[in-house]
Amino acid sequence: MPSTFTEATDPWCLRDGESAALLRGHPWRRFAVLGDSVAEGLCEPADGYPDVQWADRIAAELRAVRPELAYLNLGLRGLRAHEVRAAQLARALAFRPDLALVVCGGNDAFGRGYDADAVDAELTAMIGALQAAGADVITVGMFDVSLSPAVPERHRAGLGERMRRLSAHTGALAERLGTVHVRLTDHPLAADPTMYSSDGRHGSARSDAVAAAETVRRLGAHLASPRHPS
């Protein structure tokens, strides 16, 4: 079922001038993205929403303030957390980012053998290395894809439990490690069928627009925090 909104009228998307106000004077010049298909961007087209994926949207908003921003997206579909670290962390560090988005674990959580502690260890290693290199790190509690109407009913409960456990663990890591954390799992649109693609694994262009808005708002809150150096 298509959304009755467009991006221009969707109350959960960025409003005119909102991003510019939130990100005014931001310090970031090199933005790296590590992760799986969520990072790569496999959003399904949705009427009324430009077909621009989440990380590209964030980069565009950052570039609107700093046109010289360098952007590297290493995201690749199908990877589990340990594969993201093995294939992407060294390349990300070589890029010398001062802002990095790390999003993975979803492919781990899709399997019944999901090991939350093992995924935590991989995320901790990536976040720690990026922070030690001087980057602010964005983490995310993803939308719970088990709520997609394309997910068979027999898989919904187990998948939902694992996705929410991944989100809770990532949120706890974010609190402990001091990342800029984007909480999408309990977003008011989490159960809206227009947020999900027909494959039962990914989001729609609407979900990417909403996720980008929430990320920009969290970055704005981070910049406004007294703990952030001016």
Side-chain angles (χ1 to χ4, degrees):
M1 182 178 66
S3 172
T4 58
F5 295 108
T6 66
E7 186 164 355
T9 62
D10 195 324
W12 297 104
C13 292
L14 290 167
R15 307 271 53 87
D16 286 345
E18 181 182 2
S19 180
L22 290 169
L23 298 179
R24 183 179 294 117
H26 80 72
W28 300 299
R29 291 176 169 82
R30 302 184 69 80
F31 175 42
V33 177
L34 300 79
D36 52 26
S37 58
V38 179
E40 179 185 359
L42 296 182
C43 66
E44 188 169 276
D47 289 344
Y49 296 82
D51 190 15
V52 182
Q53 65 98 1
W54 175 40
D56 289 354
R57 286 173 173 272
I58 298 166
E61 299 298 344
L62 293 167
R63 275 185 175 152
V65 175
R66 286 194 178 273
E68 72 277 17
L69 178 94
Y71 169 44
L72 175 68
N73 191 333
L74 298 167
L76 184 64
R77 69 196 72 183
L79 297 187
R80 296 175 64 182
H82 73 279
E83 295 170 318
V84 171
R85 181 170 66 87
Q88 299 176 17
L89 179 58
R91 293 169 64 193
L93 292 171
F95 178 70
R96 297 177 290 107
D98 52 13
L99 180 66
L101 167 63
V102 179
V103 55
C104 60
N107 289 314
D108 299 80
F110 256 88
R112 293 180 180 176
Y114 165 53
D115 184 337
D117 292 336
V119 172
D120 286 358
E122 299 295 342
L123 285 170
T124 298
M126 286 185 276
I127 293 166
L130 290 161
Q131 289 177 329
D136 290 319
V137 178
I138 305 167
T139 52
V140 59
M142 292 177 284
F143 290 113
D144 177 3
V145 75
S146 75
L147 299 171
S148 166
V151 173
E153 186 64 37
R154 65 185 182 278
H155 297 315
R156 197 177 300 276
L159 177 59
E161 187 278 328
R162 295 190 299 274
M163 292 299 294
R164 289 188 293 274
R165 185 158 27 118
L166 171 63
S167 179
H169 274 244
T170 307
L173 277 181
E175 182 70 22
R176 178 166 61 85
L177 300 175
T179 71
V180 179
H181 190 60
V182 184
R183 302 179 187 277
L184 300 174
T185 312
D186 55 358
H187 191 280
L189 291 180
D192 190 313
T194 68
M195 297 290 284
Y196 300 101
S197 69
S198 57
D199 69 0
R201 296 182 70 95
H202 300 102
S204 68
R206 187 188 188 195
S207 76
D208 277 31
V210 171
E214 294 300 324
T215 306
V216 167
R217 289 166 185 150
R218 286 293 302 123
L219 288 171
H222 175 70
L223 292 171
S225 169
R227 293 177 293 177
H228 188 274
S230 59

